[in-house]
Amino acid sequence: MSTESHKPSVHVQAYHRRDVEDFPPQPVLSCEGVDVSYGDFRAVRNIDLDFGLNEITALIGPSGCGKSTLLRSLNRMNDLIEGARVDGKVLFHQQDLYGKGVDPIEVRRRIGMVFQKPNPFPKSIYDNVAYGPRVTGMRVSSMDDLVEEALTRAALWDEVKDKLKGSALGLSGGQQQRLCIARTIAVKPDVILMDEPCSALDPIATSRIEDLMQSLRDDYTIVIVTHNMQQAARVADRTAFLTAQVDEHGQRFGALVEFGRTSQIFERPVDERTSDYISGKFG
């Protein structure tokens, strides 16, 4: 089917998103032939993908296509799941994160993650932000200044500066998610992974998080999993579409279908499956 005869229905709103050039991303993080398995089940197969410096990359696709599984492989979060295995290479500044002698704790400091549901610790707002620097032994000249900087970068400082000793659990859902982002950036990562960070939030809180992603992009590489295609169209510089396929043994697995500039993926997809997903024909 020609994509000219069936235009995708998602309108790309570029008031936030940068329309990156046609050249490939300058990779900070790369997948080379990545397979992710749980025991004998290969959930994701043969992923080749580059995540560019100071870009937001969105991973989209139907449920069960391996988006979150792939995301967790980028900072070795899958190590915490019994039986999980990653084959191929995940390169961070050209170093294989699964290579011999690589410390997964340091990997997760350099490549932070924000989860689907806000998960503040049952501590004060201040102690939530200070937690990472303390447990990793970061040398800081002033913890107070670091906490203020992280909360300011997360667009939360003005709302909480007078109640830093109060419980983080007393914040609204959107504030809790921004606190989790502040907690992530407090340890000075290079990459921020976000696994559907707005799915539990209302539209106003979602807008705040999207604006925050835009401001953070100048200093971080961001990878976001989202089921909200309008969100991907608004915030992402590049978009990767994954889908579930079935092998010769009838086993489902996630595979990368198409990757490119967000405007190209949403307006001129090359693969018919991408066009069908974006237009709502499946997924």
Side-chain angles (χ1 to χ4, degrees), residues 162-195:
D162 296 325
K163 49 185 178 181
L164 295 176
K165 299 303 181 182
S167 172
L169 301 179
L171 298 175
S172 69
Q175 288 174 324
Q176 288 186 11
Q177 193 65 300
R178 280 182 282 146
L179 178 63
C180 292
I181 293 172
R183 190 175 66 196
T184 297
I185 63 181
V187 295
K188 309 294 185 182
D190 291 345
V191 179
I192 301 174
L193 310 177
M194 296 184 169
D195 192 359

Side-chain angles (χ1 to χ4, degrees), residues 31-87:
C31 296
E32 295 185 356
V34 168
D35 292 357
V36 185
S37 303
Y38 300 107
D40 295 331
F41 170 59
R42 271 201 297 169
V44 174
R45 301 189 188 183
N46 198 31
I47 302 294
D48 293 310
L49 201 52
D50 289 332
F51 303 97
L53 177 68
N54 301 132
E55 291 185 1
I56 300 174
T57 301
L59 305 180
I60 65 171
S63 297
C65 71
K67 303 182 298 298
S68 293
T69 291
L70 177 62
L71 191 77
R72 290 194 300 267
S73 75
L74 300 179
N75 73 342
R76 297 190 55 168
M77 287 295 293
N78 282 326
D79 289 11
L80 305 176
I81 301 174
E82 185 176 356
R85 185 181 76 255
V86 175
D87 297 304

Side-chain angles (χ1 to χ4, degrees), residues 7-23:
K7 290 281 188 180
S9 60
V10 176
H11 175 63
V12 177
Q13 302 178 49
Y15 64 94
H16 280 319
R17 179 184 48 77
R18 291 185 305 198
D19 196 17
V20 295
E21 302 294 335
D22 287 328
F23 52 76

Side-chain angles (χ1 to χ4, degrees), residues 2-260:
S2 169
T3 58
E4 291 299 316
S5 62
H6 191 80
K7 290 281 188 180
S9 60
V10 176
H11 175 63
V12 177
Q13 302 178 49
Y15 64 94
H16 280 319
R17 179 184 48 77
R18 291 185 305 198
D19 196 17
V20 295
E21 302 294 335
D22 287 328
F23 52 76
Q26 179 184 342
V28 170
L29 196 59
S30 299
C31 296
E32 295 185 356
V34 168
D35 292 357
V36 185
S37 303
Y38 300 107
D40 295 331
F41 170 59
R42 271 201 297 169
V44 174
R45 301 189 188 183
N46 198 31
I47 302 294
D48 293 310
L49 201 52
D50 289 332
F51 303 97
L53 177 68
N54 301 132
E55 291 185 1
I56 300 174
T57 301
L59 305 180
I60 65 171
S63 297
C65 71
K67 303 182 298 298
S68 293
T69 291
L70 177 62
L71 191 77
R72 290 194 300 267
S73 75
L74 300 179
N75 73 342
R76 297 190 55 168
M77 287 295 293
N78 282 326
D79 289 11
L80 305 176
I81 301 174
E82 185 176 356
R85 185 181 76 255
V86 175
D87 297 304
K89 292 183 177 181
V90 178
L91 302 176
F92 177 58
H93 295 298
Q94 299 303 309
Q95 180 179 11
D96 187 359
L97 295 182
Y98 290 85
K100 186 176 180 180
V102 174
D103 180 4
I105 302 300
E106 178 63 13
V107 169
R108 293 177 203 131
R109 187 191 73 77
R110 300 286 298 277
I111 306 172
M113 178 170 278
V114 177
F115 296 92
Q116 180 175 2
K117 184 178 179 181
N119 60 341
F121 301 141
K123 301 174 180 288
S124 71
I125 294 167
Y126 184 101
D127 287 339
N128 263 267
V129 181
Y131 179 83
R134 285 170 174 165
V135 300
T136 59
M138 275 181 61
R139 294 183 178 180
V140 298
S141 57
S142 168
M143 186 63 75
D144 289 350
D145 289 346
L146 179 64
V147 169
E148 180 177 348
E149 177 190 2
L151 288 169
T152 300
R153 293 302 311 276
L156 191 57
W157 173 252
D158 288 341
E159 298 170 41
V160 302
K161 62 184 179 182
D162 296 325
K163 49 185 178 181
L164 295 176
K165 299 303 181 182
S167 172
L169 301 179
L171 298 175
S172 69
Q175 288 174 324
Q176 288 186 11
Q177 193 65 300
R178 280 182 282 146
L179 178 63
C180 292
I181 293 172
R183 190 175 66 196
T184 297
I185 63 181
V187 295
K188 309 294 185 182
D190 291 345
V191 179
I192 301 174
L193 310 177
M194 296 184 169
D195 192 359
E196 297 190 64
C198 303
S199 65
L201 305 181
D202 62 49
I204 294 175
T206 294
S207 179
R208 295 292 298 272
I209 298 294
E210 290 180 2
D211 288 343
L212 177 56
M213 281 189 270
Q214 298 300 314
S215 68
L216 292 175
R217 176 182 53 192
D218 291 336
D219 295 304
Y220 303 95
T221 293
I222 299 174
V223 185
I224 176 173
V225 165
T226 180
H227 278 287
N228 185 330
M229 287 184 290
Q230 286 81 8
Q231 181 174 80
R234 285 192 297 266
V235 305
D237 302 302
R238 302 182 198 266
T239 296
F241 169 60
L242 290 82
T243 195
Q245 299 183 9
V246 179
D247 66 15
E248 63 276 12
H249 304 294
Q251 187 176 67
R252 286 169 56 90
F253 65 94
L256 176 65
V257 173
E258 190 169 350
F259 173 57

